[in-house]
Amino acid sequence: MTRFCLALVLFAAIAPAAMAADDETARAERWNDLRQSFFGQRPILEGSDKISLDAPDRAMDAALVPVTINVANPSQVKAVYLLIDDNPAPLAAHVAFGPAGDPRSLKLRVRVNQYTYIHAVEETLTGELFATRRFVKAAGGCSAPAGSYDPAALADIGRMKLRASEQSSGDGSVEAQLLVRHPNFNGMQMDQVTRLYTPARFLKTIEATYNNEIVFRLETDISMATDPAITFGVRTSQKGKLAVSARDSSGALFESSFDLGPQGS
Amino acid sequence: MSDGAQFRTPASDARQISPTRRSFVLGGFCLCCLPGAGPGAFAAEGPWPTEEIAEGIHVRRGVDEDATKANADAIANIGFIIGRDGVLVTDPGGSLTDGERLRSAIRAKTSLPIRYVVMSHIHPDHIFGASAFSGDDPVFIGHYRLAEALQQRGAYYRGVLAEILGEDRVGSIVAPKMEARGKSEIDLGDRVIEISAHSPAHTSTDLSLLDRKTGTLFPADLLFVGRAPSLDGSLQGWRDVLADLKQTGVPRAVPGHGPASVAWPQGAAALDGYLAVLQRETEAAVEKNIGIDAAAKSVAQSERAAWKLFDDYNGRNVIEAYKEIEWR
Ligand SMILES: [Zn+2]
């Protein structure tokens, strides 16, 4: 994994001109490989009328690229996938929604390692797949060191914060943002002295329940930005408890719970 | 601030029209690959001009651009202080080329030994010239967290710079031999240089220097004048450190970017204003649940005309500030 990413970076460095002519072909092949490895032979339909993906054309910070996925028919959505085609670990997120989840809008912050297409794929309750894509210009977001991440902040690892939106949508849904303190070390930063890579340690799953019903279950990887932030919808009709459990690649489990209700809390 | 046009080189024009520009931005420092910048730019020989801003203090003003092959990453204000017993380098420059030229400038002024090389913080435009001084065997001085920051970022910075400048022009990474913590002093014989190691502000590795003899403060990138500041440490921390530095009571400061010297503390006014707006408007955005992406486009836009390279840095600064504030 680490070697692969380094090779990608170096290759991008020495051969940008040669790449340019074949970029679109190479990108189409890349996506073809990805869809086969993640979805096998299942057909993926053009879905820009069902699912939309919003991201900056040119990222201001490749290590924190905000992405929004909206779906047109939330009641028919089982899960969404976010794939960053040219990242070393392309599957940035697989979010499966439960009965207490409202899939209409989902926001994440991701790392982008080089100019790439990002695909959002919707899986419906009947098993159909719809995809949309967007090209994002950003470089270095994953081989780049984790910003100014303070080792002292490791003491804070797993701390969570929930911010609920003031306005409810009027149909029993509340938008909430979950912040999780985690460096999400991706194992791709070399230590100059030892010539070793800082070991990877990143969040792998985040599960949220509301009054014991699943809101979402997120599987993620090293493409998620430091201190992951997820904005999601919760179906609520009364005040209740949002419980979150997150597990990282070292096996550590982090849990928090929050009061949440229709008018926010 | 009104002279932005005079720094608009052909290379920066190329950057604006070229669809192939790739930029690497990390921690507030933007490294951009400019396809238009050719090797011919190395035609000039010898040291770049320095200005003696106070007795024995020489400053080379950096250009207000991002790193290019043509400018050899000579974009920060760097310089040296000549004392009775030796020379202290206050930032060795942004590349081996930049450091070599600074060394030539020193040798044109004095044959005294180069005893100290201060590396003010982690950003490459200030420290990649360090290896040009290795033959002098000076004491390399850095913040006590600089070594760790170099371990985290050095290879990455070096790789990106190598892509812009060429492998042989970057310079190798030099770790500090003296790690500054709190306050320390360097005696150059007839003048004592005070070194302060700060808590996270512009970066997590900021040093400032003070020469009492001439009343000159070297805040390095704790002070930007005219060129858009970059935030890579802590917004609140930077405001606090700046407030402290303003109490120093000396008449003059050498900004990390901008003129070779400015009146102090008046020279901090514009930066103070920017940081205050950045904080106030980012706090409001977090408070109103305006997303980080929307905030990055809207916060501090009233400052746009006041700073060169504003669009390259402000959005990133907002993202940094937002991350800091949303966790409060
Ligand atoms: Zn700096």
Side-chain angles (χ1 to χ4, degrees):
Chain A
M1 174 71 68
T2 55
R3 288 254 164 93
F4 177 58
C5 182
L6 191 66
L8 271 181
V9 172
L10 292 176
F11 181 64
I14 57 176
M19 282 287 287
D22 302 317
D23 266 2
E24 281 307 312
T25 320
R27 292 198 162 104
E29 279 171 18
R30 176 78 177 151
W31 171 238
N32 213 30
D33 288 349
L34 284 181
R35 57 180 285 176
Q36 280 182 23
S37 62
F38 287 102
F39 304 104
Q41 296 305 312
R42 295 168 68 185
I44 300 184
L45 305 171
E46 205 291 311
S48 45
D49 58 333
K50 305 223 183 257
I51 181 165
S52 71
L53 174 62
D54 191 30
D57 295 330
R58 184 183 294 282
M60 291 186 234
D61 182 349
L64 196 164
V65 181
V67 172
T68 302
I69 300 168
N70 290 314
V71 299
N73 306 305
S75 62
Q76 292 158 36
V77 175
K78 178 183 172 194
V80 297
Y81 296 79
L82 183 72
L83 293 126
I84 304 170
D85 294 19
D86 288 306
N87 266 12
L91 182 63
H94 170 204
V95 183
F97 297 96
D102 180 350
R104 84 182 62 192
S105 181
L106 182 74
K107 293 183 185 178
L108 301 164
R109 298 173 185 174
V110 298
R111 296 168 171 151
V112 175
N113 204 42
Q114 57 178 315
Y115 286 17
T116 183
Y117 277 113
I118 298 182
H119 281 84
V121 180
E122 166 184 323
E123 182 175 30
T124 66
L125 291 167
T126 55
E128 288 178 300
L129 298 170
F130 296 97
T132 189
R133 70 176 189 182
R134 201 178 167 103
F135 193 70
V136 172
K137 293 177 177 174
C142 99
S143 54
S148 55
Y149 206 83
D150 188 338
L154 274 176
D156 215 16
I157 193 167
R159 188 181 142 210
M160 296 184 205
K161 192 168 172 181
L162 190 81
R163 304 176 40 143
S165 168
E166 297 289 313
Q167 69 271 36
S168 99
S169 61
D171 56 359
S173 267
V174 164
E175 191 177 75
Q177 181 194 46
L178 176 71
L179 301 173
V180 185
R181 271 275 192 231
H182 201 292
N184 252 28
F185 288 133
N186 58 22
M188 285 157 53
Q189 300 117 27
M190 189 189 279
D191 183 313
Q192 275 303 110
V193 176
T194 62
R195 311 302 289 175
L196 296 173
Y197 290 93
T198 308
R201 185 176 180 186
F202 52 88
L203 285 173
K204 294 193 75 164
T205 59
I206 301 175
E207 189 175 277
T209 61
Y210 183 71
N211 291 344
N212 299 317
E213 284 197 302
I214 290 177
V215 179
F216 68 82
R217 187 170 196 282
L218 165 69
E219 288 173 59
T220 177
D221 212 319
I222 59 171
S223 289
M224 198 71 82
T226 298
D227 295 336
I230 304 133
T231 304
F232 54 95
V234 186
R235 292 186 214 274
T236 68
S237 50
Q238 64 207 22
K239 295 265 180 197
K241 264 222 178 340
L242 186 93
V244 182
S245 70
R247 194 176 286 279
D248 77 11
S249 57
S250 75
L253 179 68
F254 310 106
E255 293 179 302
S256 282
S257 68
F258 308 89
D259 291 322
L260 185 70
Q263 262 68 58
S265 56
Chain B
M1 255 176 247
S2 56
D3 58 351
Q6 98 187 50
F7 293 103
R8 202 156 282 293
T9 64
S12 58
D13 289 334
R15 185 187 65 179
Q16 296 192 336
I17 55 169
S18 169
T20 58
R21 172 197 183 202
R22 302 193 304 133
S23 61
F24 298 80
V25 186
L26 169 72
F29 185 80
C30 177
L31 292 158
C32 303
C33 304
L34 308 187
F42 283 107
E45 289 292 325
W48 280 323
T50 55
E51 181 187 338
E52 187 166 4
I53 57 130
E55 189 251 301
I57 300 181
H58 302 261
V59 176
R60 195 294 317 282
R61 192 209 195 284
V63 292
D64 293 323
E65 301 169 354
D66 281 318
T68 66
K69 185 155 188 167
N71 67 30
D73 202 22
I75 64 174
N77 291 345
I78 60 174
F80 51 98
I81 304 172
I82 304 175
R84 188 193 68 200
D85 300 341
V87 178
L88 178 145
V89 174
T90 167
D91 275 351
S95 64
L96 182 60
T97 304
D98 199 14
E100 284 171 347
R101 289 180 181 226
L102 181 65
R103 195 175 176 284
S104 306
I106 295 170
R107 282 293 162 252
K109 307 272 186 229
T110 177
S111 56
L112 286 168
I114 297 169
R115 292 209 190 278
Y116 303 96
V117 174
V118 175
M119 298 188 281
S120 66
H121 64 292
I122 180 68
H123 288 158
D125 50 332
H126 294 259
I127 60 173
F128 267 85
S131 61
F133 297 91
S134 292
D136 298 292
D137 198 26
V139 177
F140 290 97
I141 302 172
H143 191 282
Y144 73 94
R145 288 183 62 185
L146 180 64
E148 162 205 310
L150 282 168
Q151 285 174 21
Q152 290 174 343
R153 303 183 181 191
Y156 175 76
Y157 281 153
R158 196 182 182 288
V160 176
L161 260 185
E163 188 177 335
I164 299 169
L165 305 178
E167 180 63 35
D168 58 327
R169 289 289 90 202
V170 180
S172 47
I173 292 166
V174 177
K177 279 185 210 157
M178 176 186 149
E179 302 202 330
R181 201 181 272 271
K183 303 240 185 235
S184 35
E185 293 187 343
I186 297 294
D187 190 350
L188 295 177
D190 58 338
R191 65 207 306 168
V192 171
I193 310 300
E194 293 176 26
I195 302 179
S196 300
H198 300 285
S199 47
H202 166 60
T203 69
S204 301
T205 56
D206 299 322
L207 296 183
S208 65
L209 309 181
L210 186 61
D211 175 49
R212 290 268 179 211
K213 185 178 179 191
T214 60
T216 307
L217 175 71
F218 293 80
D221 277 7
L222 292 165
L223 177 62
F224 281 70
V225 178
R227 178 193 169 114
S230 69
L231 171 63
D232 187 19
S234 160
L235 177 53
Q236 185 61 55
W238 196 349
R239 297 192 70 194
D240 294 346
V241 168
L242 199 56
D244 279 352
L245 290 177
K246 281 160 68 180
Q247 304 302 316
T248 310
V250 295
R252 165 188 322 110
V254 177
H257 296 272
S261 106
V262 295
W264 192 252
Q266 302 89 312
L271 176 61
D272 252 345
Y274 173 75
L275 296 178
V277 170
L278 178 63
Q279 183 158 23
R280 189 174 64 237
E281 295 187 7
T282 307
E283 281 170 354
V286 170
E287 179 65 29
K288 286 187 228 151
N289 263 323
I290 292 169
I292 197 166
D293 42 353
K297 286 178 205 145
S298 61
V299 165
Q301 287 298 319
S302 60
E303 290 278 318
R304 191 167 187 273
W307 303 95
K308 291 169 199 156
L309 303 177
F310 183 84
D311 292 341
D312 290 340
Y313 288 90
N314 182 62
R316 278 197 44 85
N317 292 344
V318 177
I319 289 172
E320 281 293 307
Y322 197 105
K323 286 193 288 183
E324 182 178 332
I325 289 164
E326 72 182 348
W327 275 100
R328 277 194 203 143

